[in-house]
Amino acid sequence: MAAKRRPTLADVAQEVGVSAKTVSRVLNEDGPVSQQTREQVLAAVAKLGFQPNLMARNIRVGGPDTTIGLVIPDLANPFFGAVARAIEDTVSERGLTLLMGSSADDPDRERALTAKFLARRVSILIVVPSVGADHSHLKSHRTAGLPVVFLDRPGVGLSTDSVVSTNRAGSHDGVAHLIAHGHRRIGFVGDLPVKLYTRRERFAGYRAALQEADIPYDRSLLASAHDQPGAEAATAQLLELADPPTALFAGNNIMALGIVAELARSKRKDVAVVAFDDLSLAEALEPALTVVAQDPEEIGRSAAATALSRLDGDRSRARTITVPTRLVVRGSGEQPAPKP
């Protein structure tokens, strides 16, 4: 059975017995049309279920669409889900609709996705930059007035607004918390790639906390993974060291899930854990998970508010907004180091 064809502008015109131009005038409120004709056209639109092509109209008249484009690396990551929800809540108050796509942290895929959003003439573009991406191709759009905001990480090749967390300071606070409970063998399980801005900043905070406490950096305590199974395997390898860590610091929420899963599988309750990023079930774990919590809602709100201010004509210099993190003490990070 053939799929039902979507009704067109011509279908509406035929239903009413007027020209397509008359239907267009009614829908766009552009030009003289009698009240009777207007009512007939709107009734036909409702009857046929016709949906105007807003993108085509905006391209035709040279105006922006009523949408904003958001590029994130992973649709499944709850952190970015919370960020996107906050952005959507903020821009919806202005009648804008959020369009979202995943780059999978691939610079080529990111560029292709931004190109699609630009072709649609989005009113705002918000991007979580991929490692290795060059954003100089957005310069002409930015110069022409398109608000572009980088989220979670700064971009490359384009001077524009960014919203990031206090990654280095937050990581430092989490590791210092473990040190305060007597730990000197502290493993770091970070995500990949190692050149990722958030990974580098959080690792720098880890190193700074060790240095402040006069604890030598031991490369054998560093592990990396791309997903939860990888983090589980990395945790297992750290625990099998001749001189294993007594505490672990997770570089993000996905690494934390891998650490917790491996500790549960191996029935290890003697290893302290602090994670960067909160988890929805962190308080349900045993012990509950101590975290360095970001504020994804505030990150999203700040990015959206900054972009809207640019849309309203703010032409001040590009700025970086830094959203504070906070240490949330729940139990896993307070596990004391074993006595010598």
Side-chain angles (χ1 to χ4, degrees):
M1 184 176 179
K4 187 177 179 180
R5 181 175 62 84
R6 296 178 66 183
T8 65
L9 194 74
D11 294 331
V12 176
Q14 184 177 9
E15 177 74 17
V16 180
V18 297
S19 68
K21 186 173 183 179
T22 297
V23 174
S24 179
R25 283 176 177 171
V26 172
L27 297 178
N28 297 322
E29 299 182 355
D30 180 25
V33 180
S34 70
Q35 183 61 30
Q36 180 181 2
T37 299
R38 186 180 304 279
E39 291 174 356
Q40 290 175 336
V41 168
L42 294 177
V45 167
K47 175 183 176 182
L48 298 176
F50 172 69
Q51 292 290 330
N53 188 335
L54 295 178
M55 182 176 72
R57 175 188 178 277
N58 291 326
I59 291 175
R60 185 173 66 252
V61 302
D65 197 1
T66 57
T67 58
I68 76 169
L70 171 64
V71 180
I72 61 174
D74 184 2
L75 291 170
N77 191 320
F79 170 78
F80 291 114
V83 169
R85 184 172 60 249
I87 292 174
E88 186 172 38
D89 289 345
T90 303
V91 301
S92 64
E93 298 173 1
R94 293 282 295 270
L96 297 172
T97 301
L98 179 67
L99 300 179
M100 183 167 56
S102 170
S103 67
D105 256 329
D106 181 305
D108 293 332
R109 183 166 168 176
E110 177 196 310
R111 181 157 183 167
L113 191 54
T114 56
K116 290 179 181 178
F117 285 149
L118 293 171
R120 189 185 173 97
R121 300 182 67 85
V122 292
S123 296
I124 293 168
L125 182 63
I126 301 177
V127 180
V128 179
S130 303
V131 174
D134 181 358
H135 302 94
S136 57
H137 66 99
L138 296 174
K139 283 183 179 179
S140 60
H141 300 279
R142 180 72 186 90
T143 302
L146 174 69
V148 178
V149 178
F150 291 131
L151 186 71
D152 189 55
R153 317 160 187 172
V156 175
L158 180 69
S159 176
T160 194
D161 301 310
S162 299
V163 181
V164 299
S165 291
T166 52
N167 291 285
R168 188 177 301 211
S171 179
H172 170 277
D173 292 346
V175 175
H177 185 70
L178 292 168
I179 294 171
H181 285 80
H183 297 280
R184 295 184 65 83
R185 297 285 293 170
I186 303 173
F188 180 94
V189 182
D191 54 340
L192 293 171
V194 294
K195 292 184 178 180
L196 186 68
Y197 167 79
T198 48
R199 155 69 184 244
R200 288 189 288 108
E201 287 293 295
R202 294 169 194 176
F203 181 63
Y206 164 82
R207 291 287 303 270
L210 295 180
Q211 186 175 13
E212 284 184 11
D214 293 324
I215 299 175
Y217 167 62
D218 184 344
R219 180 178 287 274
S220 71
L221 295 177
L222 172 64
S224 302
H226 184 67
D227 51 22
Q228 181 177 332
E232 292 177 25
T235 301
Q237 291 176 0
L238 288 174
L239 297 178
E240 290 170 0
L241 291 173
D243 188 7
T246 62
L248 295 171
F249 184 81
N252 69 7
N253 52 359
I254 305 302
M255 300 302 102
L257 288 172
I259 290 172
V260 169
E262 177 56 29
L263 291 178
R265 186 195 65 79
S266 58
K267 296 181 173 56
R268 293 290 301 272
K269 294 186 177 182
D270 58 329
V271 179
V273 179
V274 173
F276 200 107
D277 279 346
D278 208 350
L279 303 176
S280 59
L281 296 177
E283 294 185 84
L285 299 173
E286 182 58 45
L289 188 64
T290 294
V291 301
V292 176
Q294 297 191 85
D295 191 342
E297 290 79 12
E298 182 57 31
I299 291 172
R301 283 192 296 267
S302 295
T306 299
L308 290 173
S309 72
R310 297 299 188 186
L311 194 64
D312 291 338
D314 181 358
R315 295 295 180 264
S316 60
R317 294 181 63 181
R319 55 188 178 269
T320 297
I321 298 171
T322 305
V323 179
T325 55
R326 61 190 179 92
L327 182 67
V328 182
V329 175
R330 295 195 179 111
S332 68
E334 294 69 62
Q335 173 76 28
K339 295 180 181 180

